[in-house]
mmCIF file of all heavy atoms in Angstrom:
data_model
loop_
_atom_site.group_PDB
_atom_site.id
_atom_site.type_symbol
_atom_site.label_atom_id
_atom_site.label_comp_id
_atom_site.label_asym_id
_atom_site.label_seq_id
_atom_site.Cartn_x
_atom_site.Cartn_y
_atom_site.Cartn_z
ATOM 1 N N PRO U 1 -1.649 11.193 92.314
ATOM 2 C CA PRO U 1 -1.957 10.229 91.265
ATOM 3 C C PRO U 1 -3.057 10.645 90.550
ATOM 4 O O PRO U 1 -4.013 11.279 90.938
ATOM 5 C CB PRO U 1 -2.162 8.877 92.079
ATOM 6 C CG PRO U 1 -2.528 9.383 93.428
ATOM 7 C CD PRO U 1 -1.891 10.752 93.601
ATOM 8 N N PRO U 2 -3.158 10.161 89.216
ATOM 9 C CA PRO U 2 -4.232 10.460 88.368
ATOM 10 C C PRO U 2 -5.546 9.815 88.947
ATOM 11 O O PRO U 2 -5.393 8.732 89.488
ATOM 12 C CB PRO U 2 -3.808 9.931 86.934
ATOM 13 C CG PRO U 2 -2.730 9.032 87.163
ATOM 14 C CD PRO U 2 -2.068 9.530 88.506
ATOM 15 N N VAL U 3 -6.701 10.279 88.526
ATOM 16 C CA VAL U 3 -7.953 9.742 88.933
ATOM 17 C C VAL U 3 -8.598 9.157 87.741
ATOM 18 O O VAL U 3 -8.783 9.808 86.744
ATOM 19 C CB VAL U 3 -8.902 10.763 89.610
ATOM 20 C CG1 VAL U 3 -10.258 10.199 89.925
ATOM 21 C CG2 VAL U 3 -8.161 11.290 90.806
ATOM 22 N N LEU U 4 -9.072 7.820 87.648
ATOM 23 C CA LEU U 4 -9.739 7.297 86.545
ATOM 24 C C LEU U 4 -11.151 7.666 86.712
ATOM 25 O O LEU U 4 -11.840 7.475 87.577
ATOM 26 C CB LEU U 4 -9.595 5.665 86.618
ATOM 27 C CG LEU U 4 -10.271 4.937 85.439
ATOM 28 C CD1 LEU U 4 -9.539 5.335 84.191
ATOM 29 C CD2 LEU U 4 -10.121 3.519 85.675
ATOM 30 N N ARG U 5 -11.531 8.392 85.568
ATOM 31 C CA ARG U 5 -12.965 8.912 85.558
ATOM 32 C C ARG U 5 -13.718 8.365 84.369
ATOM 33 O O ARG U 5 -13.262 8.552 83.254
ATOM 34 C CB ARG U 5 -12.915 10.399 85.466
ATOM 35 C CG ARG U 5 -14.339 11.081 85.543
ATOM 36 C CD ARG U 5 -14.192 12.549 85.479
ATOM 37 N NE ARG U 5 -13.309 12.939 84.314
ATOM 38 C CZ ARG U 5 -13.638 13.909 83.509
ATOM 39 N NH1 ARG U 5 -14.813 14.326 83.391
ATOM 40 N NH2 ARG U 5 -12.745 14.161 82.587
ATOM 41 N N PRO U 6 -14.738 7.539 84.382
ATOM 42 C CA PRO U 6 -15.362 7.066 83.294
ATOM 43 C C PRO U 6 -16.027 8.170 82.436
ATOM 44 O O PRO U 6 -16.530 9.193 82.998
ATOM 45 C CB PRO U 6 -16.544 6.106 83.786
ATOM 46 C CG PRO U 6 -16.667 6.694 85.206
ATOM 47 C CD PRO U 6 -15.434 7.236 85.712
ATOM 48 N N THR U 7 -15.939 8.064 81.105
ATOM 49 C CA THR U 7 -16.473 9.038 80.231
ATOM 50 C C THR U 7 -17.762 8.376 79.497
ATOM 51 O O THR U 7 -18.383 9.194 78.739
ATOM 52 C CB THR U 7 -15.569 9.550 79.110
ATOM 53 O OG1 THR U 7 -15.092 8.382 78.444
ATOM 54 C CG2 THR U 7 -14.332 10.279 79.811
ATOM 55 N N ALA U 8 -18.099 7.244 79.765
ATOM 56 C CA ALA U 8 -19.179 6.593 79.205
ATOM 57 C C ALA U 8 -20.203 6.155 80.239
ATOM 58 O O ALA U 8 -19.870 6.011 81.416
ATOM 59 C CB ALA U 8 -18.780 5.347 78.260
ATOM 60 N N GLU U 9 -21.358 5.730 79.814
ATOM 61 C CA GLU U 9 -22.379 5.177 80.724
ATOM 62 C C GLU U 9 -21.883 3.905 81.335
ATOM 63 O O GLU U 9 -21.145 3.144 80.759
ATOM 64 C CB GLU U 9 -23.764 4.977 80.081
ATOM 65 C CG GLU U 9 -23.648 3.984 78.866
ATOM 66 C CD GLU U 9 -24.839 3.859 78.069
ATOM 67 O OE1 GLU U 9 -25.234 4.946 77.397
ATOM 68 O OE2 GLU U 9 -25.641 2.882 78.105
ATOM 69 N N PRO U 10 -22.371 3.492 82.511
ATOM 70 C CA PRO U 10 -21.962 2.270 83.191
ATOM 71 C C PRO U 10 -22.343 1.136 82.365
ATOM 72 O O PRO U 10 -23.181 1.044 81.594
ATOM 73 C CB PRO U 10 -22.747 2.314 84.527
ATOM 74 C CG PRO U 10 -23.225 3.719 84.760
ATOM 75 C CD PRO U 10 -23.411 4.413 83.344
ATOM 76 N N VAL U 11 -21.460 0.026 82.634
ATOM 77 C CA VAL U 11 -21.684 -1.146 81.799
ATOM 78 C C VAL U 11 -22.620 -2.056 82.585
ATOM 79 O O VAL U 11 -22.454 -2.309 83.776
ATOM 80 C CB VAL U 11 -20.260 -1.945 81.709
ATOM 81 C CG1 VAL U 11 -20.549 -3.299 80.957
ATOM 82 C CG2 VAL U 11 -19.370 -1.091 80.973
ATOM 83 N N SER U 12 -23.709 -2.653 81.879
ATOM 84 C CA SER U 12 -24.623 -3.517 82.484
ATOM 85 C C SER U 12 -24.171 -5.042 82.042
ATOM 86 O O SER U 12 -23.585 -5.215 80.995
ATOM 87 C CB SER U 12 -26.046 -3.237 82.136
ATOM 88 O OG SER U 12 -26.191 -3.313 80.817
ATOM 89 N N ALA U 13 -24.784 -5.988 82.683
ATOM 90 C CA ALA U 13 -24.421 -7.321 82.418
ATOM 91 C C ALA U 13 -24.664 -7.685 80.936
ATOM 92 O O ALA U 13 -25.811 -7.369 80.411
ATOM 93 C CB ALA U 13 -25.089 -8.246 83.434
ATOM 94 N N GLY U 14 -23.686 -8.342 80.213
ATOM 95 C CA GLY U 14 -23.877 -8.860 78.904
ATOM 96 C C GLY U 14 -23.787 -7.740 77.747
ATOM 97 O O GLY U 14 -23.956 -7.904 76.589
ATOM 98 N N ARG U 15 -23.337 -6.425 78.206
ATOM 99 C CA ARG U 15 -23.178 -5.331 77.219
ATOM 100 C C ARG U 15 -21.794 -4.746 77.363
ATOM 101 O O ARG U 15 -21.201 -4.664 78.288
ATOM 102 C CB ARG U 15 -24.218 -4.389 77.602
ATOM 103 C CG ARG U 15 -24.526 -3.445 76.391
ATOM 104 C CD ARG U 15 -25.582 -2.581 76.622
ATOM 105 N NE ARG U 15 -25.075 -1.373 77.465
ATOM 106 C CZ ARG U 15 -25.564 -0.280 77.808
ATOM 107 N NH1 ARG U 15 -27.016 -0.148 77.544
ATOM 108 N NH2 ARG U 15 -25.142 0.722 78.439
ATOM 109 N N ALA U 16 -21.157 -4.481 76.204
ATOM 110 C CA ALA U 16 -19.906 -3.832 76.099
ATOM 111 C C ALA U 16 -19.987 -2.427 76.428
ATOM 112 O O ALA U 16 -21.032 -1.843 76.329
ATOM 113 C CB ALA U 16 -19.339 -4.061 74.783
ATOM 114 N N PRO U 17 -18.935 -1.788 77.002
ATOM 115 C CA PRO U 17 -18.953 -0.381 77.393
ATOM 116 C C PRO U 17 -19.134 0.444 76.095
ATOM 117 O O PRO U 17 -18.721 0.047 74.887
ATOM 118 C CB PRO U 17 -17.604 -0.159 77.986
ATOM 119 C CG PRO U 17 -16.735 -1.296 77.689
ATOM 120 C CD PRO U 17 -17.683 -2.431 77.307
ATOM 121 N N ALA U 18 -19.808 1.669 76.237
ATOM 122 C CA ALA U 18 -20.097 2.459 75.066
ATOM 123 C C ALA U 18 -18.927 3.223 74.610
ATOM 124 O O ALA U 18 -18.874 3.740 73.492
ATOM 125 C CB ALA U 18 -21.260 3.405 75.439
ATOM 126 N N GLY U 19 -17.904 3.523 75.474
ATOM 127 C CA GLY U 19 -16.765 4.322 75.107
ATOM 128 C C GLY U 19 -15.571 4.177 76.038
ATOM 129 O O GLY U 19 -15.833 3.458 77.152
ATOM 130 N N PRO U 20 -14.480 4.716 75.716
ATOM 131 C CA PRO U 20 -13.277 4.554 76.620
ATOM 132 C C PRO U 20 -13.372 5.414 77.803
ATOM 133 O O PRO U 20 -14.270 6.320 77.889
ATOM 134 C CB PRO U 20 -12.125 5.056 75.672
ATOM 135 C CG PRO U 20 -12.768 6.066 74.866
ATOM 136 C CD PRO U 20 -14.219 5.496 74.598
ATOM 137 N N ALA U 21 -12.510 5.135 78.842
ATOM 138 C CA ALA U 21 -12.396 5.897 80.053
ATOM 139 C C ALA U 21 -11.195 6.913 79.843
ATOM 140 O O ALA U 21 -10.416 6.611 79.151
ATOM 141 C CB ALA U 21 -12.204 5.086 81.202
ATOM 142 N N SER U 22 -11.234 7.990 80.548
ATOM 143 C CA SER U 22 -10.096 8.827 80.501
ATOM 144 C C SER U 22 -9.577 9.075 81.837
ATOM 145 O O SER U 22 -10.164 8.842 82.951
ATOM 146 C CB SER U 22 -10.587 10.240 79.963
ATOM 147 O OG SER U 22 -11.444 10.862 80.866
ATOM 148 N N ILE U 23 -8.253 9.513 81.879
ATOM 149 C CA ILE U 23 -7.605 9.724 83.137
ATOM 150 C C ILE U 23 -7.402 11.166 83.310
ATOM 151 O O ILE U 23 -6.760 11.892 82.379
ATOM 152 C CB ILE U 23 -6.276 9.012 83.088
ATOM 153 C CG1 ILE U 23 -6.432 7.516 83.143
ATOM 154 C CG2 ILE U 23 -5.524 9.386 84.444
ATOM 155 C CD1 ILE U 23 -5.167 6.730 83.197
ATOM 156 N N ASP U 24 -7.891 11.802 84.469
ATOM 157 C CA ASP U 24 -7.745 13.120 84.700
ATOM 158 C C ASP U 24 -7.000 13.346 86.018
ATOM 159 O O ASP U 24 -7.245 12.612 86.897
ATOM 160 C CB ASP U 24 -9.128 13.873 84.777
ATOM 161 C CG ASP U 24 -9.792 14.169 83.525
ATOM 162 O OD1 ASP U 24 -9.082 14.060 82.487
ATOM 163 O OD2 ASP U 24 -10.932 14.334 83.416
ATOM 164 N N ARG U 25 -6.243 14.418 86.183
ATOM 165 C CA ARG U 25 -5.620 14.738 87.349
ATOM 166 C C ARG U 25 -6.617 15.663 88.150
ATOM 167 O O ARG U 25 -7.317 16.473 87.549
ATOM 168 C CB ARG U 25 -4.318 15.406 87.149
ATOM 169 C CG ARG U 25 -3.218 14.577 86.545
ATOM 170 C CD ARG U 25 -1.847 15.153 86.785
ATOM 171 N NE ARG U 25 -0.845 14.326 86.314
ATOM 172 C CZ ARG U 25 -0.281 13.236 86.887
ATOM 173 N NH1 ARG U 25 -0.735 12.913 88.093
ATOM 174 N NH2 ARG U 25 0.502 12.551 86.293
ATOM 175 N N PRO U 26 -6.670 15.558 89.416
ATOM 176 C CA PRO U 26 -7.601 16.410 90.247
ATOM 177 C C PRO U 26 -7.141 17.823 90.041
ATOM 178 O O PRO U 26 -6.062 18.207 89.857
ATOM 179 C CB PRO U 26 -7.355 15.967 91.600
ATOM 180 C CG PRO U 26 -6.709 14.597 91.626
ATOM 181 C CD PRO U 26 -6.061 14.599 90.263
#
């Protein structure tokens, strides 16, 4: 199965994510 790997910095409370996540295969 594909692995969800964030491509942006972690989201902190009250702030929107900086960018999308990508899916990569191992």
Side-chain angles (χ1 to χ4, degrees):
V3 176
L4 185 61
R5 182 178 52 124
T7 57
E9 61 189 68
V11 177
S12 61
R15 200 174 83 177
S22 67
I23 295 178
D24 285 341
R25 295 200 178 274

